[in-house]
Amino acid sequence: MNALTTTLTRTMAVVDAYRVRIRNGERFTMSTQCAMVREGRNLDAVAIQAALILEGKRGVLTTRQTKLDKAQAETTGFINRGLTLATSREASPFIGSAFDACIGATDACRLACVGSRTGQGRLPSSAIARIGRTIALHVDPVTFWARYDREVEREQRRAERKGYKLAMRCNVASDHAHVAARSAATHPDVTHYDYTAITANVRRVDGVRRVYSLKDGAQRRMLAKRMLDEGHGVAVVFAASARRKEPLPATWNGAPVIDGDLHDLWFLQAPESGPFVVGLRVKGDSGQVQAAIDAGFAVAA
């Protein structure tokens, strides 16, 4: 039995035990789970979250998140929802040492990750929620997807009643192409979009609109240029202050730059054909910003 199987089997047993307790009427609050983290009982905290999700006591979808919320339905015509799973290595202690939710991640982007290192993503409750969803998906995918599908269908009906469309970003903090593809195949009337650090994912034809997410390093720059040459979109973090709302460049490597900080639905601003750049301003505290610039993760504007 390999490390991945061993770790996941151990986690599954803890989740199953909490599912039984929940069915028997025991209640758990997020404040209790956060207290467990402070006590070093991380497995219990995230296993409870997974159990609550699988038992229908906590939701699967992300319905409130700063970037998602910027896409106001009144101006975009879309209600924007997401699936926020664990970032790169967050869930590996509970799933297995080889597990990585974002295999295209680099050390620099992990330090400045908007999914876990900035804003509300830094809160213990947010980490518990992300990791709990990821564990739920792995220990009982049948139940997880059944609950996910019901929530998406509910959100789609709500959007339609108000005269809007539903948009889904299945990788708010992760990079699982199969997760987004599965959702798009099951819910073809929902607009699916994503960012990915894997070029093969950008080229996929599976009902998901994707842009290549540039990371640091000369090789990544070369891949980004290749994506543009092929007519794809590329997301670039520029060394422009988000706090001061500094301007983005008009073009990058010959492609027009759209403002990805206006809202998350970049496909509404993208040209009908040809390459484009989703420009993002560097975020985080002063140390994170400088580290991102020094590492080349945030490029000169």
Side-chain angles (χ1 to χ4, degrees):
M1 188 177 290
N2 60 40
L4 188 66
T5 306
T6 301
T7 304
L8 187 56
T9 299
R10 184 184 308 118
T11 298
M12 185 181 299
V14 179
V15 172
D16 287 344
Y18 277 114
R19 293 182 74 175
V20 171
R21 292 171 64 175
I22 291 167
R23 289 172 194 163
N24 288 335
E26 194 166 349
R27 296 185 179 184
F28 298 95
T29 66
M30 181 57 78
S31 61
T32 298
Q33 293 166 254
C34 290
M36 288 178 172
V37 170
R38 292 192 295 271
E39 295 165 2
R41 299 171 57 196
N42 292 24
L43 175 56
D44 286 296
V46 296
I48 287 171
Q49 186 70 14
L52 289 167
I53 289 169
L54 294 172
E55 292 302 312
K57 305 298 183 181
R58 298 262 173 94
V60 176
L61 297 185
T62 301
T63 58
R64 296 295 304 273
Q65 196 254 7
T66 302
K67 189 70 181 295
L68 298 179
D69 291 346
K70 285 184 177 181
Q72 296 181 7
E74 294 81 3
T75 56
T76 66
F78 283 87
I79 288 179
N80 199 21
R81 298 291 183 254
L83 176 61
T84 309
L85 299 172
T87 61
S88 185
R89 307 285 298 172
E90 272 190 317
S92 58
F94 316 103
I95 294 177
S97 58
F99 178 76
D100 192 335
C102 186
I103 60 174
T106 64
D107 289 341
C109 77
R110 289 189 188 100
L111 288 173
C113 179
V114 295
S116 60
R117 301 302 294 271
T118 64
Q120 292 184 339
R122 295 176 295 180
L123 300 175
S125 57
S126 296
I128 291 169
R130 290 191 300 269
I131 298 168
R133 289 190 195 98
T134 305
I135 291 172
L137 173 58
H138 281 76
V139 303
D140 189 348
V142 173
T143 300
F144 178 90
W145 282 119
R147 298 200 180 283
Y148 173 90
D149 290 338
R150 281 196 289 271
E151 291 188 28
V152 170
E153 290 164 4
R154 182 189 65 206
E155 292 298 321
Q156 188 174 12
R157 288 193 298 270
R158 287 178 176 173
E160 290 173 349
R161 282 198 298 268
K162 296 179 179 180
Y164 302 129
K165 299 177 182 178
L166 179 65
M168 273 297 305
R169 179 179 173 182
C170 292
N171 286 289
V172 172
S174 55
D175 196 352
H176 301 295
H178 67 283
V179 169
R182 188 268 178 205
S183 181
T186 308
H187 307 282
D189 294 330
V190 175
T191 299
H192 288 76
Y193 71 101
D194 253 330
Y195 299 77
T196 179
I198 303 167
T199 55
N201 291 347
V202 180
R203 300 187 181 103
R204 289 175 64 125
V205 181
D206 56 11
V208 183
R209 302 181 183 188
R210 297 183 179 89
V211 290
Y212 177 70
S213 185
L214 175 64
K215 310 299 181 185
D216 51 293
Q219 184 178 13
R220 304 300 180 94
R221 295 282 186 94
M222 180 185 68
L223 291 174
K225 292 177 182 178
R226 184 180 301 169
M227 290 288 96
L228 292 175
D229 290 341
E230 293 180 11
H232 300 294
V234 174
V236 179
V237 176
F238 289 100
S241 171
R243 291 181 179 178
R244 293 193 294 272
K245 297 181 180 180
E246 292 178 341
L248 297 169
T251 62
W252 187 77
N253 280 284
V257 176
I258 62 177
D259 192 339
D261 285 333
L262 289 178
H263 56 70
D264 210 32
L265 304 181
W266 50 261
F267 55 87
L268 295 178
Q269 300 182 70
E272 291 186 7
S273 62
F276 62 94
V277 172
V278 180
L280 302 166
R281 295 167 182 81
V282 64
K283 299 169 183 67
D285 58 34
S286 58
Q288 289 172 313
V289 168
Q290 191 58 53
I293 294 172
D294 291 345
F297 174 62
V299 304

